[in-house]
Amino acid sequence: MKVNNKRLLYLETIICLLISVGITYALYQNKAKRWEEQSSATFRQALELELQKRDTVMVFHKEAMGYSTLSLDDSLPKPIRIIDELGEREYIIPKEKYDHSLVKETLKRSILSILLEDYPLVPDTLNEIWDSLLITANIPVKTCIRISVTDFQERASVAHSKDIFESFSSDSLLSYYLGERCEVEVTGFVFYGWYEVVSGWGYFAICLPWIVLAFLFFFYKKIIFILERRFVKHETLTIKTMVPVIAVKAEDSHVYQLEEGVFFDTKEKVLKSASLTKKLAPQVAYLLKLFLESEGYRLSTSKIDENLWADGSGTQERIYTVIRRLRKSLDGITHLMVDYENDIYQLKSSISDEIVKNSTIPT
C-alpha cells in the first residue's frame, strides 16, 4: 500500500472513530435521560405502594389514574418540640429534607412516624416492588435501595437492599423523606451499562461509518472510474509530433521518437528527453507500445484486455488502473495524452490538431 493511501486510511479511520463515539454518546444520553425519568416515577410509585400496606388511608388516597399524595403545604413547618429523657428541645427540619418530603402536612407526617416506628420499611421488599414496576415498563436497569433512620440524638442507622453496588454510594437517583422530623430517608439507585442503552438500530448507526469506510476502501478505484466516465469530458485532439518513428535497424526496431527530443525505448522500457528519464513498469511500457503500433493509435478496451491479460483475468478496474499509470508516466515529459471516447482509448497530442507522418531515426 502506498504512503498516501496509508495516510488516507488512517485519517478515515480516525474520522469514523470520532463519528462512532459521537453517535454512542448521543444515544446513551438520550436513552439514559428517559430511563432515569421513568425510574424516578416508578420509585415514588413503589414507595407509595409499600406505605399503603401500613393502613395509611389518612395519608394517601387512591384516584382513578393511580396513587398520589393529598394536597401539600408550601410553607416550611414550625420547629418541632421534642420531649425525651434528655429533656425538652426544639428540632428544626432542614429545608432540603422538607422539599423532598413525600408528605408535607404536619399531621400526616406525624402519622407516618408512628406507623414506620411500628412497621419499618424493609429495603429488599421495597426494591422488589420497584424492580417489578421497572420490568413492567420494560426498563432494563439494576436497582438498589438504602434506608436511613435518624433518632432523636441525631444517630443514623442505615440498611441496604441485598443488590447494593459500590458505585451507587456516589451516584444516587433520588431521595424521599418520611416522618414528622423527616427522619426516614429512602434513597433509590439505578445502574446500567452503555451496552444496555445502545441496542438494535443504535448498533447499526454506530457501525455505519465503518461500513462506508470499508466500501470506499475496497471499491474506490471502481467508483472513480465510473465517475470519470460519466462526468469527465475529454476533448478530441490529434498528434502533432513524429508518432511513431521507428529507429535503429529494421530487424531491431525498438526506439520510437514521440516528439522532438523525446524518445521511447521499448526494450529498456524507458521514456527519455534531454532533461528527464522515466522508467516504465513492464505492463505500462507494453501498453504504450500497443498504442504506437495500432492504427490511428487507437485501442478498444477489449483489445487492451486481450493483449494485457490473455488469461482472461482483466477487468474494467484493471484497465483503468494501467491507463491511469500510463497517463501519469507521459505527464511532464511529453505532450502526448490518452483520450477516451465511446469505449475507445486513443493516444493524442494536447497541443496540435494535425497528424504528422512517420519518419525514421537514422542509424
Side-chain angles (χ1 to χ4, degrees):
M1 184 181 291
K2 294 183 180 180
V3 176
N4 290 339
N5 290 342
K6 285 185 178 179
R7 289 178 179 174
L8 181 60
L9 179 61
Y10 293 153
L11 178 61
E12 290 175 343
T13 301
I14 292 173
I15 292 174
C16 286
L17 182 62
L18 293 175
I19 293 174
S20 296
V21 170
I23 292 174
T24 303
Y25 179 77
L27 292 173
Y28 182 89
Q29 290 296 317
N30 180 59
K31 186 166 285 188
K33 181 180 180 181
R34 182 168 60 86
W35 281 2
E36 288 180 1
E37 291 174 352
Q38 292 176 312
S39 297
S40 298
T42 53
F43 177 63
R44 181 183 179 115
Q45 185 180 358
L47 183 55
E48 291 183 353
L49 288 172
E50 178 62 16
L51 290 174
Q52 286 288 327
K53 299 177 183 178
R54 287 158 178 78
D55 194 22
T56 55
V57 177
M58 295 183 63
V59 182
F60 294 93
H61 72 283
K62 188 175 182 180
E63 294 181 347
M65 298 302 294
Y67 294 101
S68 66
T69 59
L70 292 172
S71 59
L72 307 178
D73 299 332
D74 293 329
S75 58
L76 284 173
K78 297 179 180 179
I80 299 172
R81 291 186 175 276
I82 300 174
I83 302 176
D84 57 11
E85 64 273 10
L86 299 178
E88 181 179 346
R89 63 185 186 279
E90 286 187 348
Y91 184 90
I92 300 176
I93 300 175
K95 184 178 185 303
E96 61 273 13
K97 286 187 176 182
Y98 184 76
D99 289 342
H100 291 88
S101 177
L102 189 65
V103 178
K104 290 187 171 64
E105 192 174 336
T106 304
L107 175 61
K108 297 180 177 62
R109 294 203 324 272
S110 300
I111 295 173
L112 277 177
S113 290
I114 297 171
L115 290 172
L116 292 177
E117 186 175 356
D118 295 335
Y119 306 100
L121 294 172
V122 179
D124 286 327
T125 303
L126 184 56
N127 197 44
E128 288 176 3
I129 298 174
W130 191 17
D131 278 341
S132 65
L133 293 174
L134 289 172
I135 292 173
T136 303
N138 195 27
I139 306 174
V141 299
K142 298 176 182 178
T143 63
C144 167
I145 287 179
R146 181 184 66 202
I147 297 177
S148 174
V149 181
T150 304
D151 61 18
F152 292 113
Q153 284 75 44
E154 300 298 325
R155 294 174 300 191
S157 58
V158 181
H160 299 90
S161 60
K162 293 180 180 179
D163 297 329
I164 183 67
F165 295 92
E166 295 180 1
S167 59
F168 286 163
S169 59
S170 59
D171 188 25
S172 63
L173 179 64
L174 72 166
S175 296
Y176 285 111
Y177 293 89
L178 306 169
E180 184 180 13
R181 297 178 291 113
C182 295
E183 68 273 12
V184 180
E185 178 187 4
V186 184
T187 305
F189 303 86
V190 293
F191 173 78
Y192 46 85
W194 67 269
Y195 53 88
E196 294 172 311
V197 175
V198 181
S199 59
W201 285 103
Y203 285 116
F204 176 76
I206 294 172
C207 295
L208 183 60
W210 300 98
I211 296 172
V212 174
L213 172 63
F215 179 80
L216 293 177
F217 180 77
F218 289 107
F219 299 102
Y220 77 96
K221 290 183 179 179
K222 185 170 290 186
I223 294 172
I224 292 174
F225 174 74
I226 294 172
L227 292 176
E228 185 175 83
R229 290 188 61 179
R230 182 177 294 272
F231 298 108
V232 177
K233 182 179 180 181
H234 300 280
E235 296 182 359
T236 303
L237 297 174
T238 55
I239 299 176
K240 173 183 179 181
T241 55
M242 305 170 203
V243 183
V245 179
I246 302 176
V248 194
K249 302 175 182 178
E251 64 273 13
D252 189 24
S253 301
H254 62 270
V255 178
Y256 291 83
Q257 182 176 349
L258 303 184
E259 58 186 62
E260 185 176 354
V262 181
F263 301 92
F264 171 48
D265 189 328
T266 61
K267 187 174 182 180
E268 297 296 329
K269 302 177 179 62
V270 171
L271 270 175
K272 188 173 183 180
S273 67
S275 60
L276 184 62
T277 299
K278 284 189 178 183
K279 180 71 174 179
L280 305 186
Q283 198 174 52
V284 175
Y286 183 58
L287 177 60
L288 179 56
K289 185 172 182 292
L290 282 177
F291 273 115
L292 296 174
E293 294 177 349
S294 63
E295 183 179 355
Y297 322 115
R298 298 161 60 91
L299 290 172
S300 64
T301 54
S302 60
K303 190 70 174 179
I304 296 173
D305 183 21
E306 179 183 338
N307 282 272
L308 268 62
W309 296 280
D311 60 355
S313 62
T315 62
Q316 286 290 339
E317 185 176 344
R318 282 189 167 187
I319 293 172
Y320 171 75
T321 299
V322 72
I323 290 291
R324 179 171 53 82
R325 293 173 66 186
L326 175 57
R327 286 170 174 163
K328 186 175 180 180
S329 299
L330 295 172
D331 187 36
I333 196 171
T334 175
H335 293 104
L336 297 185
M337 57 176 282
V338 179
D339 190 26
Y340 177 85
E341 186 176 3
N342 298 328
D343 207 34
I344 298 294
Y345 289 96
Q346 185 175 18
L347 195 64
K348 296 175 179 287
S349 171
S350 60
I351 61 172
S352 174
D353 58 0
E354 297 181 0
I355 297 179
V356 180
K357 295 182 180 180
N358 299 347
S359 60
T360 304
I361 299 176
T363 59

